Amino acid sequence: MAFPKEKFKTAFTQRAYGKSLKHLLLFHDLYFIALIILAVASGGYGIYLWDKASKQSQRINMVIQEIYLVRGDLYRQVKELFDAFFLQEENALNEYNHYTTSILVHLQRLQSIAIDEEERTALSEIESKYRKLVNEAPTLFYRYQNNPNKQAQKSIYQDIETGIFTHYEEVSKRAEHLLMIKQSEIKNRLDDARSSSIAVLSLPLLLAFVLILYSRRILKRSIVKPINDIMVATNAISTGNLSHQVPEAGAEELAVLSKEINKMAEDLALSRDALVKSEKQAALGLLVPMLAHNIRNPLASIRATAQVIDAPDKDTQESVHGIIHTVDRLERWTGSLLSYLHPIKPMLNQLMLSSIVQGAIITLQPKLTEKNIRVIEDSANIKRLILTDEHLLEQMLYNLLLNASEASPKGTDIHIQCSLLDNILTLVIIDQGPGMPFKPDPHAITPGPTTKRFGTGLGIPFAFKVCDELGGAMEFESQAGNGTRITISLPQ
């Protein structure tokens, strides 16, 4: 079960890091707002519990206080009754009636404070015992007046103390015990509320700590590290290391910036290579014509002299022919070099592809016949006129077919496959030679290597140059012993 959890964590992290700075800041602000709301709600809930318990506790204390007041007034009321009958005080009965009114007010207040049936029942019992005491006590005293002696007085004390007061105290104590139990429950609830409030209030603190750690990680991986990588990359690029790549990571804006820096470095590298290429070609363009002129004049004299030599023997004749062949090879090399360096300006015309292909094959026919090589092509299937430079395309095909014929064994075939699809003209040249010993580079500044005795190495670079001028592309596929496949694509 660990893999899905790790996978989910990785996916969540990637989603977080791929967000823009605006989204990250919004998420950060919303998280803090949620923490503030949670903290306020937790504090409010704790205050609510505390206030509720405090009010309940105050209510119970008020009930107990009222019960005590009733008890105190009851004792003073009975005292006034004793004073009225035993001491014959004139104002005692008025005080007695005053306490009766006060006690009834307290009892009525108790009923209004009670909140449940259990409390109302307990308080009703107190009221009932009080009314019984008030109703029975005067009867006892009037009976004493009819027979005023010590025995009757003692009987009154016993009846009031052990009878009426005892029953009242039992009821009163039961009510007080009930209230004490509720008071204890409220205290327990207050303790629970305090513990709950501490636990609830600690949650925002814990979440705030987690947010700090998470924000630090997000800021480090989404902002700090990408900015550091960008600084390292800019320093590397400024020193000329254009191959240095910035990791396209972090916040969306920084990832886009890294991507643009990488693109800028690639464009600078291409511009630098193009500048070096153009500077070298410019230098060669200035140097080679002068060298060609200074070489061709002596070569012409040497060849002319060799042609008029009358060789007396076979060895001398072979030496003269060798001189002529060497001069011709140098002349071909010089001419090819001049053609390669000379700027090309295509002259586009509407032409049939078959005429251009046949022109290149006819020019190469003597070499093909010498090695008994057939060129199988299907250019006649292209019925539509193509837009191209006849001479450049024919010369390019000639150079490529020449390479293919010289690399192919005797008696083999060279295939030229032609197709025109979606305004793209495709020419595929396939030979059965041993394959190319090197990978042609279209961006090479100097001519490529050659495996031919009298080769210049300029055929393939010239073909690349023609393709580039015609807006096309050329690819080489070669494996040792399986021949070479050249694909030329020219837009129409």
Side-chain angles (χ1 to χ4, degrees):
M1 297 298 292
F3 175 73
K5 180 179 179 182
E6 186 66 26
K7 186 176 181 181
F8 170 78
K9 182 179 179 183
T10 303
F12 177 79
T13 304
Q14 290 175 349
R15 287 197 299 270
Y17 297 151
K19 296 294 183 182
S20 65
L21 290 175
K22 180 180 178 181
H23 285 86
L24 289 176
L25 291 175
L26 178 61
F27 170 78
H28 193 266
D29 293 341
L30 290 177
Y31 206 117
F32 268 110
I33 291 173
L35 279 178
I36 293 172
I37 293 174
L38 180 60
V40 171
S42 301
Y45 178 70
I47 293 173
Y48 167 76
L49 292 178
W50 185 268
D51 183 66
K52 183 179 178 181
S54 297
K55 288 181 178 180
Q56 184 70 1
S57 178
Q58 291 175 2
R59 188 191 66 82
I60 292 175
N61 288 333
M62 189 179 297
V63 172
I64 294 174
Q65 183 179 2
E66 290 293 332
I67 292 175
Y68 287 158
L69 290 174
V70 170
R71 179 183 294 161
D73 287 348
L74 177 60
Y75 279 107
R76 284 189 287 271
Q77 184 183 25
V78 172
K79 176 181 175 298
E80 294 298 333
L81 193 62
F82 274 100
D83 291 343
F85 283 95
F86 293 140
L87 302 179
Q88 300 297 318
E89 291 185 3
E90 297 180 358
N91 199 34
L93 290 177
N94 292 331
E95 291 293 328
Y96 176 86
N97 293 329
H98 171 74
Y99 285 121
T100 301
T101 303
S102 176
I103 291 172
L104 291 176
V105 170
H106 288 308
L107 292 173
Q108 186 178 2
R109 190 178 299 166
L110 284 172
Q111 288 294 337
S112 65
I113 297 175
I115 60 173
D116 55 32
E117 192 63 30
E118 191 176 15
E119 288 185 7
R120 291 190 184 94
T121 301
L123 296 176
S124 295
E125 289 182 356
I126 293 176
E127 184 176 357
S128 175
K129 292 298 180 183
Y130 169 73
R131 291 185 182 277
K132 182 178 180 181
L133 185 148
V134 171
N135 291 330
E136 292 181 359
T139 304
L140 295 175
F141 282 96
Y142 284 122
R143 190 171 55 189
Y144 167 77
Q145 282 184 338
N146 295 329
N147 187 18
N149 54 46
K150 291 185 178 181
Q151 185 65 31
Q153 184 178 3
K154 183 177 180 181
S155 176
I156 290 174
Y157 280 119
Q158 288 179 347
D159 289 341
I160 291 176
E161 181 178 357
T162 61
I164 300 173
F165 268 116
T166 301
H167 294 161
Y168 176 83
E169 287 293 332
E170 290 177 356
V171 172
S172 177
K173 286 182 179 179
R174 283 203 301 270
E176 291 178 9
H177 180 68
L178 172 63
L179 294 173
M180 289 298 180
I181 292 175
K182 288 194 172 186
Q183 188 79 357
S184 177
E185 292 176 353
I186 291 173
K187 184 177 181 301
N188 293 333
R189 283 203 298 269
L190 282 174
D191 293 338
D192 294 340
R194 185 185 299 108
S195 301
S196 299
S197 298
I198 294 173
V200 173
L201 288 173
S202 64
L203 180 60
L205 296 177
L206 178 62
L207 291 177
F209 179 72
V210 173
L211 176 61
I212 291 173
L213 295 180
Y214 183 71
S215 299
R216 185 175 183 275
R217 182 181 180 187
I218 291 292
L219 292 175
K220 183 177 180 181
R221 297 192 60 178
S222 298
I223 299 177
V224 178
K225 187 177 184 300
I227 290 177
N228 185 62
D229 292 338
I230 290 173
M231 293 177 61
V232 172
T234 53
N235 290 333
I237 292 173
S238 64
T239 59
N241 183 12
L242 300 180
S243 61
H244 186 86
Q245 293 287 305
V246 187
E248 298 176 9
E252 183 179 345
E253 292 84 352
L254 295 177
V256 172
L257 179 60
S258 301
K259 183 178 180 180
E260 292 300 322
I261 291 176
N262 292 333
K263 186 176 181 300
M264 178 190 70
E266 293 175 0
D267 294 341
L268 287 175
L270 293 176
S271 300
R272 182 181 64 183
D273 294 341
L275 179 61
V276 173
K277 178 180 179 180
S278 61
E279 289 179 350
K280 288 190 176 182
Q281 285 187 338
L284 290 174
L286 294 174
L287 180 61
V288 170
M290 181 182 64
L291 292 176
H293 179 268
N294 293 333
I295 291 173
R296 274 180 166 176
N297 288 337
L299 288 179
S301 300
I302 293 171
R303 195 177 194 286
T305 302
Q307 284 179 334
V308 299
I309 292 177
D310 187 12
D313 53 51
K314 186 176 180 179
D315 291 339
T316 304
Q317 290 178 358
E318 291 179 355
S319 298
V320 170
H321 286 301
I323 292 171
I324 293 173
H325 285 307
T326 301
V327 170
D328 289 341
R329 179 170 64 85
L330 291 174
E331 176 63 28
R332 286 196 302 272
W333 186 87
T334 305
S336 299
L337 186 60
L338 287 174
S339 298
Y340 173 70
L341 294 173
H342 192 274
I344 296 177
K345 294 181 180 180
M347 302 295 292
L348 303 179
N349 291 298
Q350 297 284 348
L351 303 163
M352 293 298 296
L353 177 63
S354 57
S355 63
I356 299 175
V357 174
Q358 287 298 323
I361 295 174
I362 291 173
T363 306
L364 192 61
Q365 194 60 50
K367 289 186 176 291
L368 297 175
T369 304
E370 182 182 346
K371 296 184 68 175
N372 192 25
I373 295 175
R374 290 189 309 166
V375 177
I376 302 174
E377 53 92 13
D378 57 359
S379 61
N381 293 335
I382 308 299
K383 306 297 183 181
R384 178 184 141 187
L385 295 176
I386 63 170
L387 183 64
T388 188
D389 186 306
E390 178 182 8
H391 300 292
L392 288 179
L393 183 57
E394 182 178 317
Q395 188 175 358
M396 178 181 71
L397 291 175
Y398 172 81
N399 288 336
L400 296 176
L401 290 173
L402 177 61
N403 288 343
S405 64
E406 292 182 345
S408 299
K410 293 182 178 181
T412 56
D413 297 334
I414 298 175
H415 293 268
I416 303 177
Q417 300 172 356
C418 306
S419 63
L420 181 57
L421 183 63
D422 296 333
N423 292 325
I424 298 295
L425 175 64
T426 304
L427 305 176
V428 181
I429 302 174
I430 304 173
D431 64 44
Q432 301 177 26
M436 300 184 68
F438 66 96
K439 177 73 173 179
D441 183 6
H443 304 293
I445 298 175
T446 57
T450 179
T451 57
K452 296 178 286 187
R453 180 181 178 186
F454 300 110
T456 63
L458 292 171
I460 292 177
F462 180 79
F464 275 124
K465 189 172 183 180
V466 171
C467 276
D468 186 58
E469 293 295 333
L470 295 177
M474 183 169 59
E475 296 181 357
F476 286 79
E477 299 178 25
S478 179
Q479 292 184 355
N482 293 326
T484 301
R485 178 188 181 95
I486 307 172
T487 302
I488 304 168
S489 302
L490 299 174
Q492 293 298 302

